[in-house]
Amino acid sequence: MKMMREAKDARARVRVIAPAKINLHLEVLGLRDDGFHELAMVMQSIELVDYLEITNSSNGLINLSCNDPLLDTDSNNLIYKAAELLRLRSGFDELGTTIHLEKNIPIGAGLAGGSSNGAATLVGLNYLWGLGFSDKELEELSAELGSDMPFCLAGGTQLCFGRGERLEQVKNANSSIAVLLVKDPSKSVSTPWAYSQSREKYGEKYLKTESEFEIRRKILKDESWLYSMSQENPPPLKNDLQKVVAPITPAVQNALEILQMIPETLSVAMSGSGPSCFALFSDMNAAQKAMDQNLNSFTQAGLDSWCCSFRTNGVALEL
Ligand code: C5P
């Protein structure tokens, strides 16, 4: 049976904001029966965002373009996959769209740019195609496309368990903290490779049972820093993938060393599977000043840099 829908005008448009994320905490707990890793993370949306200009059509075609010629815009792109999956689940083969992606989030960086683009596509097309999928239904669809995607939809500060798709919002998290991000534009890290390195090096020490996983989740949920992030009590930052990626990735080592030398830095880490690294600052002024003062060092080390604040939500429609 086909679902009901209230389609928007054939050429209606919408702009969707797709924010990047960083990992304040990424802990590999163990290996799951489905081959993925069981994780305990704290993910944080940041104000480094891509924009998707989405136009409705009814010719059954999905067309994708991007301002960055280096990005694949074929059927492997998560935007394309998200549009296809949503159309399939709707049962309306005639649904089509033209999407233009304005890419600002660095590609292959550990910042969930691709996942966020996919999540933004689900939200934009659910609206334009008038499908009426609930937030919960979109969350479930998004988890089929990528482990980080449910977080990208919800955003803000979230504890993320399971493959990364089981979310628990951190309430009253401090959003005044700012981020200085750096990345070597010529380097990217494969996420499957980073996890396989972790398994090779630390697999023997992984927790084995669900009850062991649950004990770690409870301990993380009780961490006081989660609920009182401040200059006196900055997030301690932990990334288990950093332990395996940094020692064999000079671009990450350099980035961490340069960021650690900045006196006002609260804490420094790699994001996700890298290679982007970030430093936290008490506010945007401090982050901006640190970026301006260290621009030469970044350039000499071949690093691009950005600074932005924490963000309190994820994907958003601009109506
Ligand atoms: O879910 P996603 O497509 O983002 O995952 C990319 C790859 O990262 C997976 O194929 C897997 O190799 C690895 N991964 C993992 N455990 C997770 C998430 C990702 O091993 N929880």
Side-chain angles (χ1 to χ4, degrees), residues 44-45 47 156-157 172-178 229 281-284 308-313:
Q44 173 68 54
S45 303
E47 290 288 359
T157 314
N172 305 319
N174 183 339
S175 58
S176 66
I177 293 178
M229 285 192 254
F281 292 84
S282 55
D283 56 41
M284 215 24 216
C308 59
S309 56
F310 277 12
R311 180 181 163 98
T312 53
N313 62 333

Side-chain angles (χ1 to χ4, degrees), residues 37-252:
H37 285 80
E38 183 71 27
L39 304 176
M41 303 190 284
V42 180
M43 298 222 259
Q44 173 68 54
S45 303
I46 57 173
E47 290 288 359
L48 174 62
V49 305
D50 290 340
Y51 295 99
L52 279 78
E53 295 279 353
I54 309 184
T55 311
N56 200 5
S57 81
S58 51
N59 59 9
L61 299 176
I62 299 166
N63 290 308
L64 174 60
S65 61
C66 179
N67 65 325
D68 184 341
L70 295 178
L71 193 81
D72 275 345
T73 49
D74 59 15
S75 56
N76 288 321
N77 191 298
L78 276 171
I79 293 178
Y80 199 101
K81 288 185 178 173
E84 259 190 332
L85 181 65
L86 196 67
R87 183 174 59 188
L88 181 72
R89 294 299 158 82
S90 77
F92 297 102
D93 299 344
E94 69 276 19
L95 292 175
T97 184
T98 298
I99 302 178
H100 181 73
L101 169 64
E102 184 189 319
K103 194 84 201 142
N104 300 307
I105 305 169
I107 301 164
L111 300 171
S115 296
S116 190
N117 294 167
T121 305
L122 293 178
V123 170
L125 288 178
N126 187 43
Y127 171 77
L128 280 183
W129 287 346
L131 300 176
F133 283 114
S134 67
D135 288 351
K136 189 78 201 146
E137 286 169 325
L138 289 185
E139 186 185 313
E140 283 166 13
L141 271 178
S142 74
E144 293 181 35
L145 292 161
S147 308
D148 285 348
M149 253 204 223
F151 170 79
C152 293
L153 281 175
T157 314
Q158 305 263 356
L159 285 149
C160 309
F161 299 120
R163 283 188 292 130
E165 87 291 10
R166 274 174 46 199
L167 309 181
E168 289 184 29
Q169 191 186 4
V170 177
K171 299 217 170 64
N172 305 319
N174 183 339
S175 58
S176 66
I177 293 178
V179 188
L180 170 53
L181 263 172
V182 294
K183 181 188 178 272
D184 182 332
S186 67
K187 300 282 184 304
S188 63
V189 171
S190 145
T191 304
W193 172 81
Y195 279 106
S196 70
Q197 291 294 304
S198 164
R199 189 178 168 181
E200 213 168 275
K201 223 167 167 194
Y202 296 104
E204 302 245 306
K205 294 189 193 144
Y206 281 176
L207 302 179
K208 299 283 181 297
T209 63
E210 172 54 28
S211 59
E212 288 175 316
F213 296 160
E214 189 53 23
I215 290 168
R216 271 308 298 160
R217 289 183 202 120
K218 284 222 168 78
I219 291 170
L220 183 59
K221 282 200 258 187
D222 284 344
E223 294 278 3
S224 60
W225 66 266
L226 271 178
Y227 305 94
S228 59
M229 285 192 254
S230 67
Q231 195 166 3
E232 298 75 44
N233 187 17
L237 303 184
K238 174 185 171 84
N239 184 342
D240 280 347
L241 295 180
Q242 182 180 323
K243 289 190 290 190
V244 291
V245 173
I248 48 176
T249 314
V252 170

Side-chain angles (χ1 to χ4, degrees), residues 251-270:
V252 170
Q253 271 171 32
N254 284 346
L256 291 170
E257 275 167 28
I258 295 174
L259 290 174
Q260 267 150 3
M261 279 183 331
I262 302 174
E264 296 79 15
T265 297
L266 300 178
S267 38
V268 168
M270 187 180 85

